[in-house]
Structure formats: C-alpha cells, structure tokens
Amino acid sequence: MFGQLTDWFPVFLSLRTALIATIAVTCLGLPLSRLMARREFPGKDWLESAITLPMVLPPSVVGYGLLMLIGKNGLLGQLLAKMGITIVFTWWAAVLASTVVAFPLMYQSAKAAFRSVDENYEKAARTLGAGEVRIFFTITLPLAWPGILAGLVLSFARALGEFGATLMVAGNIPGQTQTIPLAIFFAVDAGDKATAQTLVTIVTVFSFLVIFWANRWAKRRNY
C-alpha cells in the first residue's frame, strides 16, 4: 500500500472534495448567514431549521435524501439526465454530500460572527456614503473574520471526514469515488490493518495541523 501513485487516490480525492465543498459552503453560507443575522421575516425560523437540519440528521438519512433528489428517478436527477449529466456514483456526488453536511457548520459560525459585529460601525460608514458592498468587505467581513475562519476549519474537517452520505450517493469505487473514510472502513472490513492505520494517521495528522494553524493564526490576530 502507498507504493504507487494510485494508492494515494483516496487522500487526493478527499482533499479535493473537502476543498471544493469548503469553497461552496463559503460562497453560499456567507451571504445567507449575513442576511439571517441582520433581517427578520416571516418563516425565518422554519428556514433556519431546514438549513441546520443536516447537522443533526444521521448522515445516511441525508444521503438518502440526496439520492432521492439527484438519482435517476429524482426531480433534479431527471432534469440532469436530459442534459446528459449524471452525478450519482461520481466524485461530484461526494462533493455534494460533503457540501450539504458541512454547510450548517459554516452557516452557524458565520451567523454568530456577523451578529458579533457592532452595527454602529456599519451605520457610520453609511453616513459617510459607503455602499453596502464596500461596507461588507471593508468593515463587516474583517471584524467577523475570526468566527468565519472557525467555520471554514470546521467545514473543511467535516467535509474531509464525511462518510455516510457519501457512501449513499457516491458509493465506494476504488480510483473514482473512494475517499479516506470509505477506504478506512473497507480496509478494516477486509482485515487490511496496515492500510487503515496509514490512512488514519494521515487524516489525523493533517486535520491536527489545520486546526493548529487556525488557532495560532487567530491567537496572533488577537494581539
């Protein structure tokens, strides 16, 4: 194991999947969390409950829901099939599963970060003629950044370790959809302890270093 480049495929795929999922939840989560932190509207509690639901549901339930959505008989799956696009049992399905389960972590962290920003700074900028986009990128985002960074780290770690939903929609296809958690599970099931231990060590060390760097960065920023 790990004597050839193909042996490292689960590691490369997991990192790529986690990175894309983190970018996706950031692009979707920041504007949504900013809106939910500052606005009140009918049905907000229902929407917020739906957003955070994947955080408390069993991953297999989330995977089943995605399968019903993007499968060949699903609403979105049928539309994609007409365009010649198949997501199920591809590595893009792993990205989708990781994005869905990681999104609530990014949303909750970013919303709390935006709520911690003193609105008086934003109001002062508006009185000076600054537009909303400029206010967001020059005042709100920098002040909320420590909390957003925490959301990024948590989302990346959750996406990297995603198992249940990924297995449901992407399967365990070596060289195509096999991520680190899947490779560990099936290595243990096959009695291949050497492979399992190697992968566990890799993902543990990498996750530790990511969290360690984030904590160090936040600590330096506070001084």
Side-chain angles (χ1 to χ4, degrees):
M1 183 64 178
F2 296 97
Q4 301 178 358
L5 185 61
T6 54
D7 296 332
W8 289 87
F9 181 84
V11 177
F12 296 145
L13 179 60
S14 290
L15 292 176
R16 179 172 59 177
T17 299
L19 180 60
I20 295 176
T22 303
I23 293 173
V25 300
T26 302
C27 294
L28 296 173
L30 288 185
L32 181 60
S33 59
R34 177 69 172 79
L35 173 66
M36 299 291 276
R38 289 286 194 260
R39 297 288 184 271
E40 295 293 334
F41 52 87
K44 178 181 176 180
D45 292 339
W46 290 94
L47 177 59
E48 197 158 34
S49 298
I51 292 171
T52 56
L53 190 60
M55 188 165 60
V56 296
L57 283 177
S60 57
V61 175
V62 177
Y64 181 79
L66 290 174
L67 196 60
M68 293 298 97
L69 178 64
I70 65 174
K72 64 179 181 180
N73 296 320
L75 178 61
L76 183 57
Q78 291 179 355
L79 294 175
L80 293 174
K82 293 179 181 179
M83 297 183 288
I85 301 174
T86 301
I87 298 181
V88 176
F89 299 122
T90 68
W91 74 275
W92 281 109
V95 172
L96 178 61
S98 296
T99 301
V100 172
V101 299
F103 184 83
L105 295 173
M106 183 67 211
Y107 168 78
Q108 293 283 38
S109 297
K111 187 184 70 171
F114 286 133
R115 281 183 173 174
S116 68
V117 176
D118 190 341
E119 291 187 59
N120 289 325
Y121 293 116
E122 298 173 344
K123 293 177 180 178
R126 291 189 186 97
T127 60
L128 296 174
E132 292 300 320
V133 174
R134 184 178 181 183
I135 292 173
F136 178 80
F137 283 104
T138 60
I139 297 177
T140 309
L141 187 60
L143 292 175
W145 181 245
I148 293 173
L149 178 62
L152 286 170
V153 173
L154 290 173
S155 298
F156 182 85
R158 182 65 184 88
L160 190 65
E162 166 51 32
F163 174 80
T166 300
L167 183 61
M168 293 286 289
V169 297
N172 179 55
I173 307 174
Q176 295 185 41
T177 65
Q178 188 180 65
T179 59
I180 291 178
L182 295 175
I184 292 172
F185 177 84
F186 285 98
V188 173
D189 187 59
D192 188 355
K193 293 184 179 180
T195 297
Q197 289 174 357
T198 302
L199 289 171
V200 166
T201 300
I202 291 173
V203 73
T204 301
V205 171
F206 183 82
S207 299
F208 176 84
L209 291 175
V210 169
I211 296 173
F212 179 80
W213 172 84
N215 289 336
R216 292 282 293 181
W217 184 91
K219 184 177 180 180
R220 289 179 181 178
R221 192 177 186 277
N222 289 331
Y223 284 113

